[in-house]
Amino acid sequence: MSLELHVFPISPRAFKVLMTAHHLGIDYDLRIVDLTKGEQKTPEFTALNPNQRMPVLEEDGFSLWESNAIVEYLASKKEGWLPGNARDRLALTKWLYWDSNHWDPTCAIFIFERIIKPFFNRGETSASEIARGEEQFNRLASVLNGQLEKHRFIMGDTLTIADLSIGAPLTVADRAGFPLEAYPAIRRWHAELKTLPAWQQTIAIGEMPRAA
């Protein structure tokens, strides 16, 4: 059985998985999970991920969910992409945890309020939620910006899966209105990520739908 990626391509969480596969040159079969039709709630998909969330990787009877776990799994297939030294490996892993626990949920506030709500007619944008998002974003962006002031990429001068994962929400930075004005190092890093062929290849799979 070939490697399959079950994704809703326009989601940043799917984007990081697809971009990693593209950047590493890993072949996969694309399986679209259309969230607009509730396909994540079907019995077939629930059998792959009982959380009813995408993305999901499936290979030879092995099912893996959580986007950063999938990114790590893909990286494990290519020599040199996961450090062999325990300290170096955990230095990378800490940024993936930081993404999952802090950065991704904060970016999701803006995405939900300014993209998901209008598209799915789920009510007006909440000013209090945006304010909460801005407070959290500024705290976290200061950390990321400080790291990128010292290094070309998050882990140093070499691109790693930390960049691919943490950079993924920036695909919708303009539409979601991320407050990036005060963070020039993040903007510089984002501009470089956008030049990657894998970024462009992933963007081409599907564009964010727009409300009528």
Side-chain angles (χ1 to χ4, degrees), residues 33-197:
V33 182
D34 192 339
L35 303 186
T36 68
K37 298 178 180 177
E39 291 180 353
Q40 76 278 16
K41 297 180 180 180
T42 63
E44 295 79 11
F45 187 81
T46 302
L48 296 176
N49 183 1
N51 297 294
Q52 299 183 332
R53 299 286 185 90
M54 65 86 233
V56 171
L57 177 148
E58 190 178 9
E59 185 179 36
D60 298 327
F62 173 63
S63 176
L64 183 65
W65 30 271
E66 293 300 323
S67 59
N68 281 344
I70 297 172
V71 167
E72 284 199 79
Y73 181 81
L74 293 172
S76 74
K77 291 179 169 291
K78 296 292 182 176
E79 186 176 353
W81 275 86
L82 292 180
N85 176 281
R87 289 188 177 183
D88 291 342
R89 174 69 181 269
L90 290 170
L92 172 63
T93 300
K94 78 176 181 186
W95 281 105
L96 299 180
Y97 286 171
W98 181 84
D99 175 39
S100 295
N101 290 314
H102 305 289
W103 180 249
D104 176 278
T106 296
C107 293
I109 294 171
F110 297 94
I111 294 169
F112 179 73
E113 292 295 330
R114 290 175 169 161
I115 299 177
I116 302 300
K117 273 188 173 180
F119 184 73
F120 288 99
N121 296 315
R122 297 182 65 173
E124 298 296 323
T125 299
S126 168
S128 62
E129 277 296 283
I130 293 297
R132 182 174 72 90
E134 288 176 345
E135 180 181 2
Q136 293 182 191
F137 189 93
N138 287 324
R139 175 171 56 83
L140 298 169
S142 294
V143 173
L144 181 58
N145 196 76
Q147 183 74 358
L148 292 169
E149 285 178 336
K150 296 181 290 185
H151 304 289
R152 179 181 176 187
F153 297 108
I154 291 173
M155 297 299 297
D157 292 330
T158 302
L159 184 82
T160 69
I161 58 173
D163 301 285
L164 303 181
S165 292
I166 294 170
L170 297 180
T171 59
V172 294
D174 291 339
R175 290 194 63 206
F178 294 170
L180 289 169
E181 296 81 6
Y183 307 105
I186 295 178
R187 298 199 309 272
R188 182 269 306 161
W189 171 70
H190 180 204
E192 184 161 5
L193 292 179
K194 289 195 294 185
T195 68
L196 295 172

